[in-house]
Amino acid sequence: MSCQKIGIVGSGLIGRAWAMLFAAAGYRVQLYDILETQVDGALLEIQKELHSLKAKGALRGQLSPEAQFELISGCTDLKQLVENALHIQECIPELLQLKRDLYAQLDEVLESQTVVASSTSTFMPSLYTEGLKQRSQMLVAHPLNPPYFIPLVELVPAPWTNKETVESTRQLMLALGQRPVVLNREVQGFATNRIQYAILNEVWRLVGGGIISVEDVDRVLSDGLGLRYALLGSLETAHLNAPGGVADYFQRFGGEIAAVSASYGPTPDMRNEGETLAEIASQCEELVPLEALQQRRATRDEFLTRLSTLKRQLP
Ligand code: NAI
């Protein structure tokens, strides 16, 4: 059990989740925000959440909710936050200029042992670390929401990120019980969103083309492919689905895959396809009315908790 210090910059949804993950693994966490009231609110929220997770049997780590909460404190000064920190997890809003300003500030106060990882879902690390003195200590560690229940973290280096920075962040994520994946170089959308958007594009075309309903196309994932994908990725799935493994699979089915793929049609610009957007929104809202979204999110989190508990029992 470690007692090294972690700094979290930005105490919104994702910052709070990281604080809980680090505390569950025994790290000392300081939470910083540009708005002091946000930190106070975040601490109250975290305290409540830790007790509620305990009551549901979903609390991570060996420590009691009280002991985990004791490891987390607020901080109102960026310089103080980085002092003696092993790792800084940046969780400020997804606005490039905001990130650039913050990283320039961090660059002035960062110590040589400290890694800075961004939670950004979209910005490649070179976009806001180029030109900084300490840029070799900076990378992306992108979680999926809710990080407490979804273990994947994408580690994305900039061209100048040290190999040691990537490796020590990977080890840190493993120590939290997360499942890091490493991209060898940065690419727009990282891996998760590139795959997620490929799915969204095709779902959009299928519903927009009147081929299938929202309910049924989502069922293709939730009652079909997703069940497999909760256990195996698409390549291992292919490997298991042909007598001679993956090479045999692509020899057999590669022609069909290419033919279907050639029929996909152009990439939709979802902002400018009003008719399809209205249709998808209307069907989604019929399934889950806007006033029921909060309840549905809670159900999702409960199921994810149970699924991740089950997954942890598998080898
Ligand atoms: P949020 O809006 O809930 O929280 C952002 C916090 O940062 C706020 O408390 C705000 O006061 C604070 N802040 C703003 N400027 C600051 C500054 N200069 N210094 C310190 N604090 C500052 O945002 P959220 O959803 O937590 O997102 C944070 C990051 O995590 C974003 O980069 C986002 O792309 C990424 N992310 C978000 C996911 C989500 O589902 N919300 C999932 C995965 C990643």
Side-chain angles (χ1 to χ4, degrees):
M1 191 77 31
S2 172
C3 222
Q4 285 165 299
K5 174 179 157 183
I6 306 292
I8 310 272
V9 186
S11 57
L13 182 73
I14 296 299
R16 290 192 296 252
W18 277 117
M20 288 164 57
L21 285 171
F22 281 110
Y27 290 91
R28 204 155 44 79
V29 181
Q30 283 192 356
L31 256 182
Y32 167 83
D33 202 286
I34 202 156
L35 299 174
E36 230 176 296
T37 50
Q38 269 290 93
V39 177
D40 298 339
L43 288 171
L44 278 176
E45 186 90 7
I46 288 172
Q47 189 174 30
K48 222 169 63 192
E49 185 64 16
L50 289 172
H51 285 283
S52 144
L53 286 164
K54 173 76 181 171
K56 286 190 264 183
L59 185 72
R60 289 174 64 156
Q62 307 300 319
L63 300 171
S64 67
E66 292 81 5
Q68 295 194 20
F69 185 64
E70 256 182 43
L71 288 168
I72 308 174
S73 59
C75 173
T76 51
D77 177 40
L78 195 61
K79 193 158 184 293
Q80 193 190 331
L81 185 86
V82 299
E83 225 170 64
N84 293 320
L86 173 71
H87 178 99
I88 300 288
Q89 186 71 35
E90 173 268 302
C91 313
I92 70 168
E94 198 71 345
L95 293 165
L96 189 54
Q97 195 52 49
L98 216 56
K99 305 251 187 216
R100 282 191 173 135
D101 293 345
L102 173 71
Y103 279 77
Q105 272 176 277
L106 284 169
D107 199 38
E108 293 304 320
V109 289
L110 208 60
E111 297 166 7
S112 62
Q113 82 286 352
T114 312
V115 165
V116 182
S118 175
S119 304
T120 180
S121 332
T122 51
F123 299 133
M124 293 189 287
S126 62
L127 292 175
Y128 47 85
T129 63
E130 189 174 15
L132 300 183
K133 299 186 292 261
Q134 321 266 30
R135 62 185 193 172
S136 66
Q137 295 158 237
M138 298 170 176
L139 80 170
V140 164
H142 170 229
L144 265 64
N145 193 40
Y148 203 82
F149 304 113
I150 301 190
L152 184 77
V153 181
E154 291 184 285
L155 302 182
V156 187
W160 38 79
T161 307
N162 262 339
K163 283 203 164 46
E164 296 73 44
T165 299
V166 179
E167 182 52 22
S168 64
T169 311
R170 198 180 74 82
Q171 292 298 338
L172 182 63
M173 294 299 134
L174 289 172
L176 301 188
Q178 297 300 88
R179 297 285 176 94
V181 296
V182 176
L183 275 66
N184 292 322
R185 59 175 184 274
E186 61 177 22
V187 60
Q188 246 185 317
F190 314 144
T192 301
N193 278 336
R194 291 183 80 86
I195 294 168
Q196 178 165 240
Y197 296 163
I199 293 173
L200 273 178
N201 283 333
E202 185 50 17
V203 160
W204 183 276
R205 285 185 293 246
L206 286 170
V207 177
I211 289 165
I212 191 169
S213 67
V214 163
E215 183 174 12
D216 282 359
V217 85
D218 269 3
R219 184 152 294 170
V220 168
L221 288 172
S222 63
D223 280 339
L225 295 173
L227 282 181
R228 274 189 197 147
Y229 290 163
L231 184 63
L232 314 169
S234 52
L235 290 175
E236 193 181 351
T237 296
H239 196 44
L240 299 187
N241 276 357
V246 70
D248 184 23
Y249 180 92
F250 286 118
Q251 283 301 334
R252 283 169 191 254
F253 303 112
E256 178 63 8
I257 294 171
V260 171
S261 304
S263 73
Y264 277 167
T267 304
D269 179 345
M270 289 146 181
R271 295 162 304 180
N272 294 323
E273 295 191 12
E275 209 176 304
T276 301
L277 181 59
E279 183 57 34
I280 288 178
S282 135
Q283 288 191 42
C284 277
E285 285 167 30
E286 204 168 302
L287 292 169
V288 184
L290 294 179
E291 59 277 12
L293 284 180
Q294 204 44 42
Q295 178 56 43
R296 186 73 178 142
R297 287 186 193 115
T299 308
R300 172 200 65 186
D301 289 354
E302 194 195 318
F303 268 77
L304 282 173
T305 313
R306 287 157 69 175
L307 194 57
S308 66
T309 309
L310 181 66
K311 269 204 79 171
R312 277 170 207 279
Q313 292 164 15
L314 299 169

